[in-house]
Amino acid sequence: MASFGRETTDRPGDAPGRGDLERLFGRRFALIGMIHLLPLPGSPRFVPERGMAEVVRRATEEARLLVDAGFDGLIVENGWDIPFLKPDDIGPETPAAMAVATAEVARAVGVPLGVNCLANAVDRSLAVAAATGARFVRSNQWANAYVANEGVVEGRAGLMTRYRRAIGAEHVTVWADVQVKLGSHAITADRSLTDQARDAAWFDADALIVTGTRLGDAPLTDHLETVRAATDLPLVAGSGVRVENLADVVPHADGAIVGSSIKSGGVWHGRIDRGVCERLSAARDELEKRFADSGPSDNRSD
């Protein structure tokens, strides 16, 4: 079975899993650091002279830094493979390279890992996770569709749940974005945010992610509240979380995926700033203590 239960308000099966991220990471609010892999073989910016050795070196260096700074998990992503391809156009070289890097990150640190093969190549992500022991994958579009920079990106839940079962990877959970950043959601404009969250849950997502509209943009509080109220799934803030707004996010979510805000200059392509990571981790610890002192009834917005 999956590492934690799926939302089941409208169907039989496992019990809802709002506390499952806490069980996975051992924290009330998990900080999950982004590992943006350097350009991989086959991508336009790949440097053959440096090969995979430099990709692995940077990835493991950043992984150790993040964990030492107090982060609870990591997600490995081919963030430098710009411009991204649609799922069916991604060749075998990309998941092969991601598997090499993810395996080395797993050896370097002992925290739960996730995988995101862009763009929305959930089958490749699942294959990498199954081969490396990663615990979760991210799907930028799990149900319905949207218009991304790479074109129309459709939900892949039907195919991916079957593929996950076929390769024996049902222990790998799927974290699904609801109205993911960097795209137009006009296709689903007649469906509310609540409906879209429930669509992802109905199609067996294991957790939901809410982002801002662009890289580094924080999700709106009312979006977090709406998605939180729509299902019993764990909720993760997927962009724009920083020390300054952490207190606004923690009451409504179970964790945050953090990338741009912990980089030098606050941009995704910068180098990770250890001081920023440590301040973010310390702020999270203080908020957790405050929630613990205030009692369980005040810990979450439901």
Side-chain angles (χ1 to χ4, degrees):
M1 295 300 293
S3 300
F4 48 77
R6 300 188 177 91
E7 194 276 342
T8 56
T9 302
D10 299 316
R11 66 181 190 275
D14 297 333
R18 184 159 287 184
D20 288 327
L21 258 70
E22 187 169 350
R23 288 191 286 275
L24 177 62
F25 295 104
R27 302 297 300 252
R28 153 67 182 85
F29 186 91
L31 289 176
I32 301 146
M34 285 294 315
I35 303 293
H36 293 116
L37 296 176
L38 293 176
L40 301 178
S43 69
R45 291 173 170 82
F46 178 64
V47 181
E49 294 77 16
R50 296 179 182 175
M52 280 297 297
E54 179 64 13
V55 175
V56 168
R57 187 198 65 78
R58 173 76 73 85
T60 54
E61 172 189 285
E62 292 185 342
R64 292 189 183 99
L65 187 158
L66 287 164
V67 173
D68 288 346
F71 277 60
D72 311 293
L74 306 170
I75 182 166
V76 180
E77 180 180 277
N78 57 326
W80 274 97
D81 283 1
I82 305 168
F84 302 122
L85 293 167
K86 294 175 70 172
D88 291 341
D89 296 324
I90 295 172
E93 68 280 357
T94 299
M98 291 187 72
V100 169
T102 304
E104 292 301 323
V105 169
R107 288 190 187 91
V109 296
V111 299
L113 300 181
V115 179
N116 186 21
C117 184
L118 297 166
N120 206 43
V122 184
D123 49 355
R124 277 70 162 178
S125 297
L126 285 167
V128 173
T132 62
R135 302 291 297 277
F136 62 95
V137 300
R138 182 174 185 174
S139 173
N140 301 124
Q141 192 69 33
W142 185 242
N144 302 310
Y146 80 120
V147 182
N149 297 138
E150 50 274 357
V152 177
V153 176
E154 298 182 37
R156 297 170 63 79
L159 289 172
M160 296 305 101
T161 50
R162 288 162 174 79
Y163 178 72
R164 178 171 61 177
R165 176 178 285 273
I167 65 171
E170 289 190 286
H171 60 285
V172 179
T173 56
V174 173
W175 297 14
D177 281 274
V178 180
Q179 287 197 346
V180 68
K181 60 184 179 287
L182 295 174
S184 168
H185 299 279
I187 294 173
T188 52
D190 61 340
R191 296 188 64 73
S192 68
L193 196 62
T194 294
D195 286 336
Q196 292 180 59
R198 289 175 174 169
D199 289 344
W202 177 243
F203 271 20
D204 280 354
D206 298 292
L208 301 180
I209 300 173
V210 178
T211 70
T213 58
R214 295 200 63 81
L215 292 170
D217 288 355
L220 297 175
T221 299
D222 67 330
H223 286 187
L224 288 169
E225 291 175 341
T226 297
V227 174
R228 179 60 139 183
T231 82
D232 288 312
L233 292 179
L235 178 62
V236 177
S239 68
V241 174
R242 48 184 58 87
V243 172
E244 295 76 16
N245 65 11
L246 186 63
D248 299 324
V249 175
V250 170
H252 309 292
D254 302 287
I257 296 171
V258 189
S260 299
S261 69
I262 55 173
K263 301 292 188 70
S264 57
V267 293
W268 74 270
H269 48 80
R271 297 299 297 267
I272 292 179
D273 186 320
R274 179 184 291 272
V276 173
C277 294
E278 291 174 345
R279 288 193 292 275
L280 185 63
S281 179
R284 184 275 309 275
D285 292 348
E286 178 59 31
L287 286 167
E288 280 193 335
K289 183 176 184 300
R290 187 187 309 171
F291 282 129
D293 291 342
S294 66
S297 63
D298 297 325
N299 279 5
R300 298 176 191 268
S301 172
D302 290 314

